[in-house]
Amino acid sequence: VVQERRASMPHPGVHAQQTFGSITFRYETVRCGKANCTRCPHGPYWYAYWKEGGRTRSRYVGRALPEKAREVHEAKQREKLEKHKPQE
């Protein structure tokens, strides 16, 4: 199951992804880079990604997704659950 989830996501460490307009929000775990860290990976945290001047830019958003993006993400999650719900 874990490998299936990893295979379905475009990047390792990404747990969810939501595009809202030209901004993509990703819920991902990150490594701190410290050689002696015993708690890596950290998170997951939300990050925003967008294109600017031909480059991909990113910004840390935090543990909580912005309200409008969160509403869209939750609606899509509900749609997925409804699709996979057994028919009566």
Side-chain angles (χ1 to χ4, degrees):
V1 174
V2 173
Q3 287 178 340
E4 290 173 11
R5 181 173 53 196
R6 283 186 186 150
S8 69
M9 296 306 299
H11 304 284
V14 175
H15 299 278
Q17 181 169 301
Q18 175 63 51
T19 300
F20 185 71
S22 62
I23 300 173
T24 299
F25 293 94
R26 290 187 191 148
Y27 196 51
E28 56 190 59
T29 54
V30 293
R31 296 197 170 273
C32 65
K34 295 178 183 175
N36 61 350
C37 182
T38 60
R39 300 188 65 203
C40 273
H42 300 276
Y45 305 109
W46 284 102
Y47 287 85
Y49 291 87
W50 66 95
K51 295 278 187 179
E52 185 178 287
R55 296 181 66 177
T56 300
R57 302 290 184 169
S58 66
R59 172 130 327 143
Y60 169 77
V61 175
R63 289 237 182 227
L65 192 58
E67 186 66 28
K68 183 64 178 173
R70 184 181 59 80
E71 290 171 4
V72 172
H73 177 72
E74 289 175 352
K76 286 195 175 195
Q77 293 296 342
R78 282 192 296 273
E79 287 176 18
K80 280 185 185 177
L81 289 174
E82 290 298 319
K83 277 185 179 178
H84 292 37
K85 197 177 203 180
Q87 300 291 326
E88 291 184 21

